Amino acid sequence: MPKTKNIFIIIGITIVITLFLLSSFASLISPYNPADQNLYERLQEPGLSHLLGQDSLGRDILSRIIYGSRVSLKVGFLTIFISGIIGTLIGSVAGYYGGRIDRILMQTCDIFLAFPGLLMAITLIAILGPGLDNVIFALCIMGWVSFARLVRGQILSLKNLDYIQAAVACGISDLRIILKHLLPNLMTPIIVHSTFGMAGAIVAEAGLSFLGLGIQPPETSWGMMLSEGRKFLLIAPHMTTFPGLAIMIVVLGLNLLGDGLRDKFDTKTT
Amino acid sequence: MNNYIIKRLFLTIPTVFGVVTLVFLVIHFIPGDPVEIMLGETASQTDKAKLRADLGLDLPVFTQYFRFLSNLIQGDLGTSFYFRQPAFELIMIRLPATIELSLGALAVALIISVPLGIFSAVRQYSYIDQGSLFLALFGVSMPNFWLGPLLIIVFSINLGWLPVSGRGDIFNLILPAITLGSSMAAILTRMIRSSLLDTLKEEYIKTARAKGLPEPIILFKHALRNALLPVVTILGLQFGSLLAGSIITETIFSWPGIGRLTIQAIVSRDYPLVQVCVMAIALGYVFINLLTDLVYAWIDPRIKYE
């Protein structure tokens, strides 16, 4: 079984690198301009000229999927980066100082956790309006909580170790202890958690766009493509199949990577 | 036990209060004007001012907050602009559909995960185990807004076995329940497997084997009962998140529940209804977590109620 875990990591990394390359070189790789319409060839099935077919406006689905990867990567990366920093900061303060600060911060986390999954993001976007920046903002508002809980838990178990106590006895400042002595030891669980979090953010963005609350035209998103395809499910199922497959492969890749890393480094995530 | 239940109920009060407050804060402090979103940018200043006054948004924030709490305690959750009906009534009409869908999804998840999780643990590293691992990974990675349309293509359009959408008899429930329950099934399968594997290594299982007890009795009476304890916690958390997942599933299958009502409220910019829907789902989630804790304490007598 350990070999399987290595295979998971390899498959996961391959998928993530492919996503990165697709989004970086979208303009070079994609066979057509994703916005080019050809109403004479609308809803065409996959063929040699359009490998994954054409949508209701005759746009090339493959090109749209390639360009859509940019949105997924951007949302996934920025959401995890921002919420990771906020969550780590709050979790560090709560775990290191404990007492009343910890209670207040963790109670706040509990309140945020009372909003399941997409619900808070949907609520925020209902107020802010749809769009890429608002999607990232809404996902960050929910995303920091799991990082905060993870970091707090880890710091609680680390802060009583001898080397931390020695650092305290030497008079090293709290900030330096957190940044130089505690956080470097938390990087593995944070990276593992970020991998799963990125998968979650990509699915959440696609879900919001599917509901019409996420990315808006002329930008392209896989969730938006799925939503458009749903209207033509009876006559053009390829419009739904391929964007969905793209989401699933990327999420599967990130989950495999996260699973593999977690087992390799034997970390526990929340 | 009674003391524990009372204490746990009291502990829920701050969370409920926090949820209600957070919903209020989100609506009042996040940038963006609800009045402008409801009426559109082109609406006249007079119309905007009138709606702002109707909603009480022209009052100081503290006054608004206390009025909001006071109305809430009296059961007045406002009136939907779009449906022109009390929001509470609308929620209550749609609640049975959401509960039905959630229970259906839970049933799907348990039917798949319990046997698969047990087989995977008992036959660790076998083909069944590895197959269940891949199924679980696919289940977690497959978003329900894709699985739903795929199931419609196969079972409704190509095979014609099941209805495409709507609520009616058990056949209407099958596809939405599978869509909503699949990822939960994947998570539970892995959870049951790992929990059962841990339990099977315990000393008391070795003792049971040494006593010569038959393997099925060891598995089902001694191991599984204990292995399912942590699963109950995950089950509760996952069941709660089904409520949020139902927003997408209900939209795909035109299921007349709270999730679809939430989206209808957002699309029609029906602000009071959005607020109530969000609160209903979040409080449902809190209630299910409470129930999970109580069930957990009931089935595990080792828990100390302090």
Side-chain angles (χ1 to χ4, degrees):
Chain A
M1 209 62 177
K3 270 187 181 172
T4 321
K5 292 298 168 192
N6 284 333
I7 294 170
F8 281 2
I9 296 176
I10 293 166
I11 298 173
I13 287 178
T14 311
I15 292 173
V16 173
I17 289 175
T18 310
L19 175 72
F20 182 74
L21 291 175
L22 277 180
S23 59
S24 304
F25 301 105
S27 53
L28 294 174
I29 302 167
S30 77
Y32 298 92
N33 183 328
D36 277 354
Q37 299 179 11
N38 185 349
L39 292 173
Y40 293 108
E41 292 180 11
R42 62 197 295 268
L43 304 175
Q44 285 292 313
E45 287 183 2
L48 282 177
S49 56
H50 295 274
L51 287 176
L52 303 184
Q54 287 162 278
D55 68 6
S56 56
L57 297 172
R59 293 171 297 191
D60 181 54
I61 291 177
L62 176 61
S63 306
R64 285 172 66 72
I65 287 178
I66 292 172
Y67 271 88
S69 66
R70 286 183 167 181
V71 168
S72 293
L73 193 70
K74 195 171 175 183
V75 169
F77 181 76
L78 284 179
T79 303
I80 290 309
F81 184 72
I82 298 167
S83 53
I85 289 177
I86 298 169
T88 303
L89 195 75
I90 292 174
S92 304
V93 171
Y96 189 76
Y97 291 105
R100 189 177 287 177
I101 298 174
D102 181 33
R103 274 202 302 279
I104 292 170
L105 289 175
M106 286 306 110
Q107 202 112 49
T108 312
C109 283
D110 285 345
I111 291 165
F112 273 88
L113 285 174
F115 287 85
L118 277 176
L119 187 64
M120 179 58 97
I122 287 174
T123 316
L124 288 168
I125 288 170
I127 300 160
L128 295 166
L132 182 61
D133 294 343
N134 291 344
V135 167
I136 294 171
F137 175 76
L139 295 179
C140 287
I141 291 280
M142 291 309 288
W144 68 270
V145 183
S146 57
F147 277 99
R149 290 190 80 92
L150 170 74
V151 170
R152 173 195 175 260
Q154 297 282 333
I155 285 191
L156 279 179
S157 63
L158 285 178
K159 74 173 183 181
N160 291 323
L161 294 181
D162 288 345
Y163 77 98
I164 300 294
Q165 293 302 317
V168 175
C170 288
I172 298 172
S173 71
D174 292 346
L175 185 67
R176 194 176 164 84
I177 290 175
I178 290 172
L179 290 179
K180 292 273 179 186
H181 298 274
L182 286 169
L183 287 185
N185 286 300
L186 303 181
M187 283 324 286
T188 310
I190 289 176
I191 289 169
V192 172
H193 185 69
S194 302
T195 318
F196 290 117
M198 196 165 161
I202 289 173
V203 172
E205 177 280 312
L208 289 169
S209 298
F210 178 80
L211 293 171
L213 302 171
I215 310 306
Q216 299 295 304
E219 275 191 276
T220 308
S221 142
W222 294 342
M224 194 171 79
M225 290 175 73
L226 260 175
S227 180
E228 288 166 1
R230 199 162 63 96
K231 295 169 201 153
F232 301 93
L233 210 54
L234 286 169
I235 48 172
H238 63 276
M239 273 182 73
T240 318
T241 311
F242 295 118
L245 202 59
I247 298 169
M248 202 198 76
I249 290 171
V250 169
V251 174
L252 184 67
L254 286 164
N255 281 338
L256 284 173
L257 184 60
D259 247 10
L261 289 174
R262 183 177 53 191
D263 287 4
K264 198 169 179 70
F265 297 110
D266 194 26
T267 61
K268 294 203 187 306
T269 56
T270 50
Chain B
M1 183 71 184
N2 285 342
N3 279 348
Y4 175 75
I5 294 172
I6 292 165
K7 275 182 187 169
R8 190 62 189 78
L9 281 171
F10 270 108
L11 278 175
T12 308
I13 294 171
T15 313
V16 169
F17 182 72
V19 166
V20 169
T21 308
L22 191 60
V23 171
F24 176 85
L25 290 177
V26 162
I27 285 169
H28 287 80
F29 286 102
I30 294 295
D33 184 2
V35 170
E36 200 166 292
I37 288 175
M38 275 190 272
L39 295 179
E41 284 175 15
T42 50
S44 70
Q45 288 303 321
T46 322
D47 288 343
K48 284 182 188 172
K50 187 177 180 303
L51 183 59
R52 197 162 278 127
D54 286 348
L55 289 172
L57 295 173
D58 54 344
L59 299 168
V61 175
F62 274 110
T63 316
Q64 286 184 51
Y65 180 60
F66 287 116
R67 183 189 265 195
F68 171 70
L69 284 183
S70 152
N71 287 343
L72 200 66
I73 291 164
Q74 292 170 55
D76 177 9
L77 302 177
T79 304
S80 157
F81 290 141
Y82 183 78
F83 294 98
R84 307 231 171 252
Q85 258 180 288
F88 183 71
E89 258 180 48
L90 288 165
I91 292 280
M92 293 316 283
I93 290 168
R94 280 156 179 83
L95 188 62
T98 298
I99 292 175
E100 185 185 317
L101 178 58
S102 301
L103 289 177
L106 182 69
V108 167
L110 290 175
I111 289 167
I112 296 171
S113 65
V114 173
L116 209 55
I118 294 173
F119 271 120
S120 299
V122 174
R123 302 270 179 267
Q124 196 184 6
Y125 303 141
S126 66
Y127 287 118
I128 292 179
D129 185 25
Q130 300 208 8
S132 88
L133 173 65
F134 276 99
L135 265 180
L137 274 167
F138 273 98
V140 172
S141 307
M142 191 177 269
N144 56 2
F145 47 84
W146 186 47
L147 180 62
L150 279 187
L151 291 174
I152 291 174
I153 290 172
V154 176
F155 293 102
S156 304
I157 297 169
N158 291 342
L159 297 171
W161 289 352
L162 295 164
V164 174
S165 62
R167 183 182 177 219
D169 53 22
I170 186 84
F171 294 105
N172 288 85
L173 181 64
I174 294 173
L175 292 186
I178 294 174
T179 305
L180 190 57
S182 62
S183 68
M184 186 180 182
I187 293 165
L188 283 181
T189 303
R190 301 314 293 169
M191 188 69 205
I192 291 171
R193 177 190 178 272
S194 70
S195 181
L196 192 54
L197 278 175
D198 287 345
T199 313
L200 286 170
K201 287 174 193 151
E202 294 283 344
E203 292 295 326
Y204 61 86
I205 298 293
K206 285 179 192 160
T207 312
R209 284 210 175 101
K211 275 164 58 185
L213 283 179
E215 203 58 30
I217 297 220
I218 295 173
L219 180 66
F220 290 103
K221 204 172 171 192
H222 293 256
L224 192 63
R225 218 171 140 181
N226 287 300
L228 287 181
L229 288 174
V231 178
V232 170
T233 312
I234 300 292
L235 192 72
L237 287 169
Q238 287 296 315
F239 187 64
S241 54
L242 284 184
L243 293 173
S246 67
I247 294 177
I248 288 177
T249 309
E250 287 180 6
T251 307
I252 295 170
F253 292 96
S254 302
W255 190 265
I258 295 176
R260 190 158 162 246
L261 183 70
T262 310
I263 294 300
Q264 281 175 333
I266 290 172
V267 172
S268 56
R269 293 167 178 176
D270 190 342
Y271 236 77
L273 192 55
V274 171
Q275 187 167 284
V276 174
C277 286
V278 171
M279 236 160 26
I281 295 175
L283 292 179
Y285 192 54
V286 172
F287 174 72
I288 286 165
N289 282 340
L290 167 72
L291 211 62
T292 311
D293 273 5
L294 296 181
V295 169
Y296 195 78
W298 177 60
I299 59 173
D300 188 357
R302 289 171 300 181
I303 289 179
K304 281 211 161 192
Y305 316 120
E306 286 170 1

